[in-house]
Amino acid sequence: MTLHGVLIEIFGLGVLLAGRSGVGKSELALEMLARGHRLIADDAAEFELASDGRVVGRCPPLLYGFLEVRGLGVLHVGRMFGEPALRSSKALDLILRLHAATDYTDPPDRLHGRRIETLVCGKAIPEISLPVRAGHSLATLVEAACRDQTLKRDGYDAAEDFIERQKGSIESAS
């Protein structure tokens, strides 16, 4: 299965930066590379279900190591950032779908954000929708989303913890 987007490793997670053409996926990937994260595939990531049940993404051989950024053209990530900035494959842990802030008509859930699950190769993958707005540090939001996903995978959910604290506070006050 081939998906449009940039597959990148962030804090050990395989993350697909998805969204319509021109929303800023490659520019965001470039910022993530500058922060020390690793590129797997730009534009078209190929996914397959591995024997261990994980969905693994790879780059088509012709595109390996290259990142196309509007205004800059094609860049060779290995030559710019060194070969450690590249990775040949990675299990898909999270999809971050970028949207223009004006695409949203409904307010986000203030506790949980905009989260769904998307089927990739028949397996449910967590997906978070992030608004792209001028003046916001999207790279910081992406890193926070990845750290939060790691906590969720390890059994901790900040929203649920917050809800439980509120319930306890209400119960102790009455």
Side-chain angles (χ1 to χ4, degrees):
M1 169 179 215
T2 301
L3 295 176
H4 176 67
V6 181
L7 182 59
I8 192 160
E9 181 185 63
I10 302 171
F11 299 135
L13 296 179
V15 179
L16 181 67
L17 303 176
R20 71 174 195 267
S21 183
V23 76
K25 298 177 297 293
S26 294
E27 292 87 349
L28 177 57
L30 188 60
E31 174 67 20
M32 302 315 291
L33 289 164
R35 289 172 173 242
H37 304 292
R38 300 168 76 187
L39 177 71
I40 294 100
D42 179 40
D43 193 44
E46 298 175 342
F47 294 94
E48 66 182 7
L49 190 61
S51 60
D52 63 4
R54 297 178 307 148
V55 175
V56 177
R58 289 181 178 71
C59 184
L62 183 65
L63 302 176
Y64 183 76
F66 292 101
L67 179 69
E68 187 267 323
V69 180
R70 277 191 177 78
L72 294 179
V74 175
L75 307 174
H76 193 284
V77 170
R79 291 187 181 231
M80 288 182 76
F81 295 97
E83 287 301 314
L86 295 171
R87 183 167 177 150
S88 61
S89 66
K90 182 69 182 157
L92 180 61
D93 298 297
L94 181 63
I95 299 169
L96 294 176
R97 188 157 311 275
L98 308 180
H99 292 276
T102 55
D103 288 350
Y104 296 105
T105 56
D106 60 323
D109 178 327
R110 298 285 303 232
L111 293 176
H112 299 97
R114 287 190 165 92
R115 297 172 188 264
I116 62 170
E117 288 189 333
T118 300
L119 288 179
V120 178
C121 297
K123 183 168 180 181
I125 304 294
E127 179 176 316
I128 302 171
S129 291
L130 291 176
V132 176
R133 293 183 222 148
H136 285 220
S137 177
L138 194 54
T140 300
L141 291 175
V142 166
E143 287 181 335
C146 291
R147 289 180 188 272
D148 185 57
Q149 184 60 34
T150 298
L151 290 171
K152 284 183 184 340
R153 182 187 63 198
D154 294 343
Y156 176 77
D157 186 317
E160 295 307 314
D161 186 8
F162 183 72
I163 290 166
E164 289 303 314
R165 284 185 187 193
Q166 282 189 321
K167 282 182 186 175
S169 178
I170 291 167
E171 289 170 1
S172 67
S174 50

